[in-house]
Amino acid sequence: MAEAANGGARGRGDGVPCPTNPMVTPLLTDLYQFTMAYAYWKAGKHLDRAVFDLYFRKNPFGGEFTIFGGLEECIRFIANFKFAEDEIKFLRSVMPSCEDGFFEYLSSIDCSDVEVYAIPEGYVVFPKVPLMRIEGPVAVIQLLETPFLSLVNYASLVTTNAARHRLVAGKSKNLLEFGLRRAQGPDGGISASRYSYMGGFDATSNVAAGRLFGIPIRGTHSHAFVSSFMGLDEITDEALTSSDGSNKCEDFVSVVQNWLIRIQDSSSLRGTFGETSQSELAAFTSYALAFPNAFLALVDTYDAVGIRLDSGDLAYLSVETRKFFHAIEKEFGVVGFGKMTITASNDLNEETIDALNKQGHEVDAFGIGTYLVTCYAQAALGCVFKLVEINKQPRIKLSEDVTKVSIPCKKRCYRLYGKEGYPLVDIMTGEDEPGPKIGERLLCRHPFNESKRAYVVPQHVEELLKCYWPGTSSNSREELPSIHEIRTRCIHHLDRMRPDHMRRLNPTPYKVSVSAKLYDFIHFLWLNEAPVGELQ
Ligand SMILES: Nc1ncnc2c1ncn2[C@@H]1O[C@H](COP(=O)(O)OP(=O)(O)OP(=O)(O)O)[C@@H](O)[C@H]1O
Ligand SMILES: O=P(O)(O)OC[C@H]1O[C@H](OP(=O)(O)OP(=O)(O)O)[C@H](O)[C@@H]1O
Ligand SMILES: O=C(O)c1cccnc1
Ligand SMILES: [Mg+2]
């Protein structure tokens, strides 16, 4: 589908479609990536073989976990990476002092000699562990930095936000993403719908996203429709026909009026419907005529009594509404009426859903917009892209702030599982170190804190970085799974985490470590690179 939206592949593609958003081109980067590429080229360094890690430093939303999103779009990007002629022309105008040979070089490059290893999309991931390891000619990899970060940062943030809303709402609730009108523009809206679904939402109101990604699309009922009616006499065609045509009611308006009288006279409902607004009743009647098999009413335009609640005390109103539904079922024998869906919306977020849970409520479905899609609680994930090796020489980026010191070397990463089946720790090792073995005791060290270390005897070992783009190597390429498979994977991985890592209040940090050998090497390199001060 994305191919249809964005036909005419640029690069080789290798069967991988173009990025979903046609704005994702090699020009979607920061100018300094081009100036750096030029400087590498001028220095004759552009073909130096570089390894970069893409990782984040801190989990978002005060939590202790993150979900990785955006990988498929990165692979689509590099699979089709190629400058078009008009793009080269434009770059010449932006960088007029650069030599022609550089633009000839740019015209010639693609990502066929780039290797990408990554953690599968939808996995639970942790700070400092590379989500992606990207290797190739340094000038090319440099050009990938900004687009990769742009494709991963928001995707992972909003997937995590969605997963957090799912955790607080519970598995049995329907979660509907309603954020398109509030998102950061069309691409923000489309991405939000896609990644909210990946993080565990059930559906979106966004029709374009539903079409592009095959996400279920849902909608309820709007205020304007309710406000547009004045009275039942506006309804001219009063016949209600079931969608398969098997049942027809010639005068549905009379049926509605008769029911209203019955309910108003009901002793168990104690006059609840004494002040029914005729205009609201007309809107709902008219809506039922349009959708006889999928009726859902927004009932709070004038007075909240029913089915989508978009204002007021959602806990209280949902409980009252449920009582009313049950009373109708009981008194009039309308089987199933008590179980009618109650949807709630209006500035919902983790906190309000948590508060509703504590108060007790009868909401079946939550429609969530602003707080979900804008990631209101935290604006960015802060993924970074750091050089860890060049021409087989490990590199480290030092900082006064130890959380900003990068972990050098081309690495392998593993997740070690304990006796109870929970992941215990992620460990990074040098590329050539033997991997952890089941049943063998292994020292896991905090990368920067000497006193923090633990022995682990893994019951299961999972290598995290898998080959998604083999470059010129003969390794096989991982398949890109469907969005539904990624969503299932995400839900499964969240279920497998130890609950104390996942709780909202003061969650326990998950341990991220390095092997003893890598620890020693990091600190050797650190001392080697850090200048020694001179005291006068
Ligand atoms: N029982 C509840 N406990 C905690 N928060 C709630 C509860 N019910 C509703 N909320 C939240 O309280 C806020 C109410 O916002 P606000 O006062 O602006 O809306 P309202 O007056 O109910 O509706 P509106 O102004 O849209 O007609 C919303 O964020 C909503 O999600
Ligand atoms: O509340 P959110 O989580 O952002 O979810 C999306 C909102 O969009 C609709 O509001 P609408 O555009 O009709 O405006 P209103 O709620 O301000 O009346 C809907 O009624 C939700 O309240
Ligand atoms: O279908 C709805 O009820 C809906 C969709 C988007 C935003 N607000 C509500
Ligand atoms: Mg609202």
Side-chain angles (χ1 to χ4, degrees), residues 303-314:
D303 186 14
V305 287
I307 304 173
R308 170 157 78 99
L309 301 168
D310 189 49
S311 64
D313 183 326
L314 301 172

Side-chain angles (χ1 to χ4, degrees), residues 221-238:
H221 198 207
S222 83
H223 285 110
F225 184 81
V226 180
S227 317
S228 74
F229 280 82
M230 314 283 249
L232 282 164
D233 53 357
E234 282 173 75
I235 300 174
T236 49
D237 182 357
E238 299 170 338

Side-chain angles (χ1 to χ4, degrees), residues 310-315 346-348 352 355-356 359:
D310 189 49
S311 64
D313 183 326
L314 301 172
N346 188 24
D347 287 339
L348 292 171
T352 44
L356 295 180
Q359 291 161 47

Side-chain angles (χ1 to χ4, degrees), residues 43 60 63 68 74 104 138 166 210 380 405 415 472:
F68 177 34
C74 292
E104 280 153 29
V138 66
R166 166 57 73 196
V405 174
R415 185 157 293 171
T472 49

Side-chain angles (χ1 to χ4, degrees), residues 167-304:
L167 286 174
V168 68
K171 285 191 178 151
S172 65
K173 302 299 167 194
N174 249 301
L175 291 184
L176 313 173
E177 178 270 310
F178 278 177
L180 179 57
R181 64 188 61 195
R182 304 275 157 74
Q184 275 91 344
D187 183 59
I190 294 275
S191 299
S193 304
R194 174 187 194 167
Y195 294 110
S196 295
Y197 180 70
M198 218 181 247
F201 269 56
D202 294 292
T204 178
S205 62
N206 180 342
V207 179
R211 177 175 182 218
L212 270 172
F213 308 118
I215 306 172
I217 310 172
R218 297 281 179 276
T220 71
H221 198 207
S222 83
H223 285 110
F225 184 81
V226 180
S227 317
S228 74
F229 280 82
M230 314 283 249
L232 282 164
D233 53 357
E234 282 173 75
I235 300 174
T236 49
D237 182 357
E238 299 170 338
L240 182 139
T241 313
S242 64
S243 51
D244 61 1
S246 61
N247 272 309
K248 186 157 183 173
C249 162
E250 291 299 342
D251 188 358
F252 181 60
V253 174
S254 296
V255 171
V256 168
Q257 282 169 319
N258 287 337
W259 266 102
L260 181 60
I261 292 166
R262 288 176 75 187
I263 293 170
Q264 282 170 335
D265 289 347
S266 152
S267 52
S268 72
L269 298 170
R270 289 182 303 274
T272 317
F273 279 75
E275 290 164 32
T276 296
S277 148
Q278 288 302 301
S279 56
E280 241 178 322
L281 187 63
F284 297 149
T285 306
S286 183
Y287 189 69
L289 285 165
F291 291 100
N293 293 77
F295 178 76
L296 201 156
L298 174 65
V299 290
D300 68 347
T301 306
Y302 299 106
D303 186 14

